[in-house]
Amino acid sequence: MSETSSSLTLPDPAPQKTSFSGTLYRGNEGMWSWVLHRITGVAIYFFLLVHVLDTALIRVSPEAYNAVMATYKNPIMGLGETVLVGAVVLHALNGLRVIMVDVWPWATRNQRPLFWIVMGLVVVLMAYFVPNHLINVFSPMEGGH
Amino acid sequence: MSDTQLPQGDPKGQDSGVHPAHSGPTGAPTPMADRPDTASTDDQSSAHQVAEAAAQSSTEPKPVENEYDGADRETQPAPSHDVPESFNVTVIVRRYDPEVDDEPRWVDYDVQMYPTERILDALHRIKWEQDPSLAFRRSCAHGICGSDAMRINGKNRLACKALVKDFDISKPIYVEAIKGLPLEKDLIVNMEPFFDSYREIQPFLQAASKPEKERHQTIAQRERFDDTTKCILCAACTTSCPVFWTDGQYFGPAAIVNAHRFIFDSRDEASQVRLDILNDKEGVWRCRTTFNCTDACPRGIQVTKAIAEVKQALISGVKL
Ligand code: HEM
Ligand code: SF4
Ligand code: FES
């Protein structure tokens, strides 16, 4: 579609055959990318809050700091780190998409493919990170974290 | 539908294909299909020649040259097209009567529908044949007045533009009022907060200069804001916006669209006034680019793009 179209030839949004039935608001890529962005943003915020507190502990008592850090070195925390990295990667890449959508008309028009590019990049980056990270988490190497 | 209601003539699918106007151009296999060199148009014109020759060879002299007795007129009724079958659709409407109900409730209706019909027809059938107390707004019924925006299967649309055949009718179709505006009754919401925001952005031309004749504008200048002139103020966009649902103070996409229509109008002189209004904390910066408004707009307006252009105008000035 051209950037502007005359009002004489109204583009009728092509009705898509819909199999959805229900009442939850059915947004498309744009809405779900925003939902993910807010969830990951809030999740990262709470992680950072805790992280600032536990790191600050080192100024209070290095022993306590070491004790807290030791509790983090278990597989459940390892999986949590995987989720955290995934959230940060998604939030950062989609954040770049949102910035482009706001300032670059081309990106405004192509926000949908851009969303799928972001998702693709997240999958690729995580496909690289997750196996490496999990090997670290589950192999009983000392010093590994 | 029973056969007695069919127009007389061929029942569906029984057309023999001998009708000259009906064979050939459809591309369907006809007796001529094995003669690819004979275009079907030839076939038709030859049929006309035969008819003319028959008329000329008539022994009766014709008193008036132009007289046309209609002998070669098509005598068969126009071939009947497939009569659409009606089917049963379950429509579940979120009803609310403030005098009776504490909470809105979902009510099921079974309606006989044709694929050519719209959700608005289903609502009419419910109101006219099953429950006259059902309340909804509609005026033009043809996508012009903007009174019947509602949430149908979780998406804002005009009931008068939502064709039944575009839905999976093996499942029920849910119809409820648009979200984020005060519910008054059934599918009717109080539109005043919506129109208040609209009025606030001063949706009228403001120009101090008095031209001798008309105010000139080039085609390109007119094109600049053409998209946003199409708005019918149906509120489908504003009530599809997650920001508006949680923050009713947000101006909302429709007000911004109508501000855009004047901000980028070369004849208008109050662009800066409107930009200042939309620079408010509840203005364009609330937009989170979810594109729900763009997807919901029944006029196909690129709503999020218009909002992005207003944001840009706030940063780097209006570029006409
Ligand atoms: C890695 C670099 C980051 C980038 C590129 C980025 C980008 C963005 C952008 C562009 C937005 C605006 C979204 C919108 O307008 O819809 C946003 C929102 C947000 N970000 Fe980030 N961000 C980053 C890191 C973070 C971090 C570390 C946190 C946690 C402290 C965070 C928490 C949030 C939250 C809570 C929101 C609000 C979400 C919303 O209003 O929808 N972000 N981010
Ligand atoms: S911009 Fe589109 S959806 Fe919004 S009020 Fe106007 S016509 Fe309705
Ligand atoms: S009834 Fe007028 S727009 Fe649907």
Side-chain angles (χ1 to χ4, degrees):
Chain A
M1 204 174 74
S2 67
E3 204 165 329
T4 48
S5 52
S6 162
S7 51
L8 296 176
T9 54
L10 262 185
D12 226 9
Q16 288 166 321
K17 180 87 180 172
T18 166
S19 57
F20 179 88
S21 167
T23 71
L24 180 74
Y25 199 90
R26 197 168 129 263
N28 296 95
E29 287 87 344
M31 174 169 138
W32 295 115
S33 86
W34 166 75
V35 170
L36 286 173
H37 200 86
R38 177 156 286 188
I39 291 172
T40 52
V42 171
I44 300 167
Y45 173 80
F46 279 109
F47 162 76
L48 278 184
L49 204 68
V50 175
H51 189 53
V52 167
L53 290 179
D54 64 26
T55 308
L57 209 56
I58 199 162
R59 294 182 61 92
V60 182
S61 142
E63 292 77 28
Y65 175 81
N66 282 338
V68 170
M69 285 302 127
T71 64
Y72 290 169
K73 289 199 173 96
N74 67 58
I76 297 192
M77 276 297 164
L79 291 176
E81 280 163 4
T82 314
V83 174
L84 177 68
V85 170
V88 170
V89 167
L90 203 157
H91 187 95
L93 291 178
N94 191 56
L96 297 178
R97 168 184 164 277
V98 170
I99 293 169
M100 291 202 297
V101 165
D102 257 342
V103 302
W104 184 21
W106 179 89
T108 315
R109 263 177 281 127
N110 294 283
Q111 55 97 10
R112 238 174 260 261
L114 278 173
F115 172 74
W116 292 111
I117 290 172
V118 163
M119 294 315 262
L121 282 174
V122 170
V123 169
V124 169
L125 290 174
M126 292 309 281
Y128 173 78
F129 170 77
V130 172
N132 287 317
H133 178 65
L134 290 187
I135 287 169
N136 256 337
V137 168
F138 289 103
S139 61
M141 271 193 349
E142 45 186 290
H145 55 91
Chain B
M1 185 184 272
S2 71
D3 273 5
T4 51
Q5 280 171 278
L6 287 168
Q8 51 176 165
D10 291 315
K12 50 180 163 176
Q14 299 289 313
D15 199 330
S16 56
V18 290
H19 199 274
H22 198 236
S23 66
T26 55
T30 67
M32 296 301 148
D34 55 338
R35 286 166 52 195
D37 53 326
T38 315
S40 52
T41 42
D42 287 353
D43 194 41
Q44 275 181 329
S45 58
S46 68
H48 279 289
Q49 280 158 12
V50 169
E52 269 169 43
Q56 277 160 16
S57 69
S58 161
T59 48
E60 301 263 307
K62 295 224 151 101
V64 182
E65 226 183 28
N66 282 348
E67 191 187 53
Y68 172 62
D69 63 0
D72 59 343
R73 219 174 56 193
E74 297 176 4
T75 48
Q76 278 181 289
S80 73
H81 296 286
D82 283 359
V83 173
E85 304 231 358
S86 75
F87 41 73
N88 184 68
V89 180
T90 306
V91 181
I92 307 185
V93 184
R94 190 163 179 259
R95 301 289 309 268
Y96 174 64
D97 181 349
E99 289 174 8
V100 181
D101 304 318
D102 295 327
E103 284 289 307
R105 61 206 153 84
W106 292 95
V107 183
D108 295 27
Y109 300 93
D110 282 329
V111 204
Q112 283 294 309
M113 299 286 293
Y114 292 95
T116 49
E117 289 183 309
R118 308 150 302 164
I119 301 301
L120 180 65
D121 299 302
L123 295 176
H124 279 153
R125 216 153 276 165
I126 294 168
K127 187 176 176 70
W128 293 339
E129 294 162 14
Q130 299 185 29
D131 185 350
S133 73
L134 177 66
F136 57 90
R137 285 196 187 101
R138 75 101 174 81
S139 183
C140 71
H142 291 85
I144 289 300
C145 70
S147 24
D148 62 342
M150 48 190 80
R151 190 141 63 116
I152 304 169
N153 273 0
K155 218 174 179 180
N156 282 358
R157 332 167 195 239
L158 297 179
C160 62
K161 283 188 82 175
L163 281 172
V164 173
K165 71 175 167 63
D166 291 329
F167 292 84
D168 179 0
I169 48 136
S170 64
K171 298 182 200 147
I173 297 175
Y174 292 83
V175 181
E176 58 191 302
I178 44 179
K179 200 173 154 124
L181 290 167
L183 186 60
E184 299 220 309
K185 191 181 180 196
D186 296 342
L187 301 174
I188 296 181
V189 296
N190 179 359
M191 297 280 282
E192 271 323 301
F194 172 80
F195 288 123
D196 284 343
S197 297
Y198 171 64
R199 286 184 204 107
E200 217 169 309
I201 54 90
Q202 311 186 0
F204 40 83
L205 187 83
Q206 298 175 58
S209 62
K210 295 273 180 296
E212 257 173 49
K213 285 181 178 170
E214 63 265 309
R215 294 178 204 281
H216 292 293
Q217 191 163 54
T218 65
I219 290 171
Q221 284 171 332
R222 177 60 176 73
E223 198 72 30
R224 182 67 191 84
F225 60 95
D226 186 75
D227 200 36
T228 44
T229 61
K230 300 169 190 166
C231 178
I232 56 174
L233 293 171
C234 66
C237 55
T238 295
T239 58
S240 77
C241 176
V243 176
F244 183 76
W245 297 337
T246 49
D247 172 11
Q249 296 304 111
Y250 172 43
F251 273 90
I256 302 172
V257 158
N258 286 281
H260 178 286
R261 183 250 170 274
F262 289 100
I263 290 170
F264 293 93
D265 186 336
S266 58
R267 301 165 296 185
D268 192 89
E269 290 160 14
S271 294
Q272 199 50 50
V273 176
R274 297 191 189 86
L275 285 176
D276 289 343
I277 294 168
L278 290 177
N279 204 7
D280 187 80
K281 141 169 142 337
E282 302 291 353
V284 283
W285 306 114
R286 280 276 127 130
C287 169
R288 296 261 91 91
T289 60
T290 71
F291 286 84
N292 277 10
C293 50
T294 304
D295 293 337
C297 179
R299 306 287 288 171
I301 298 172
Q302 296 300 304
V303 181
T304 315
K305 179 167 161 263
I307 298 174
E309 285 173 4
V310 175
K311 288 176 183 168
Q312 283 305 302
L314 275 169
I315 295 168
S316 48
V318 180
K319 295 203 181 71
L320 287 176

